[in-house]
């Protein structure tokens, strides 16, 4: 019995602990990667809905402007800004700065 106790304390316990810590670290890394993937998917869907709102004639100008603000905040592109500039008849960013 006396030879088993040092064996357990000196080799088996550290091995089990390091394995458990490694496993938990892997789970945390996987969960973080899944959250980042979900965030990218949500951002892509938000951009798509904003684009649909901006280019759809069934929405009024206030809704299009709200969608434009969100679109730009999520990394929207230059083509949509040009479209909104033409729709308003002036620079959309200057318009929003005056009316917010």
């Amino acid at each position: 019995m006396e030879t088993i106790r040092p064996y357990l304390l000196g080799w088996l316990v550290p091995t089990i602990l390091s394995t458990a810590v490694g496993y938990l670290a892997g789970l945390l890394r996987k969960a973080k990667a899944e959250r980042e993937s979900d965030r990218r998917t949500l951002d892509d869907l938000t951009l798509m809905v904003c684009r649909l709102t901006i280019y759809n004639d069934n929405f009024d100008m206030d809704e299009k402007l709200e969608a434009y603000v969100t679109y730009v905040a999520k990394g929207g592109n230059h083509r949509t800004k040009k479209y909104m500039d033409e729709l308003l008849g002036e620079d959309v960013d200057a318009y929003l700065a005056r009316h917010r």
Side-chain angles (χ1 to χ4, degrees), residues 50-51 53-54 62-74 76-78 80-82 84-85 88 91-93 96 100:
C50 288
R51 228 180 349 260
T53 302
I54 291 168
D62 289 334
E63 292 169 323
K64 289 182 180 204
L65 288 169
E66 277 185 50
Y68 173 79
V69 169
T70 303
Y71 187 75
V72 170
K74 295 290 183 184
N77 64 14
H78 179 69
T80 301
K81 182 187 179 334
K82 285 178 67 175
M84 288 298 291
D85 288 346
L88 281 173
D91 184 76
V92 66
D93 296 324
L96 288 171
R100 294 264 171 183

Side-chain angles (χ1 to χ4, degrees), residues 8-93:
L8 288 175
L9 293 175
W11 182 81
L12 189 59
V13 171
T15 301
I16 291 171
L17 286 176
S18 64
T19 302
V21 168
Y23 179 74
L24 291 175
L27 287 178
L28 291 173
R29 203 172 306 121
K30 181 180 176 184
K32 181 180 178 186
E34 287 174 356
R35 280 193 311 273
E36 289 173 0
S37 175
D38 290 347
R39 172 56 52 197
R40 281 191 303 274
T41 301
L42 185 59
D43 287 346
D44 289 344
L45 289 172
T46 301
L47 283 172
M48 182 178 63
V49 169
C50 288
R51 228 180 349 260
L52 290 171
T53 302
I54 291 168
Y55 288 103
N56 190 325
D57 293 332
N58 294 320
F59 292 97
D60 64 25
M61 186 56 73
D62 289 334
E63 292 169 323
K64 289 182 180 204
L65 288 169
E66 277 185 50
Y68 173 79
V69 169
T70 303
Y71 187 75
V72 170
K74 295 290 183 184
N77 64 14
H78 179 69
R79 189 176 335 144
T80 301
K81 182 187 179 334
K82 285 178 67 175
Y83 175 79
M84 288 298 291
D85 288 346
E86 292 171 8
L87 201 60
L88 281 173
E90 63 178 294
D91 184 76
V92 66
D93 296 324

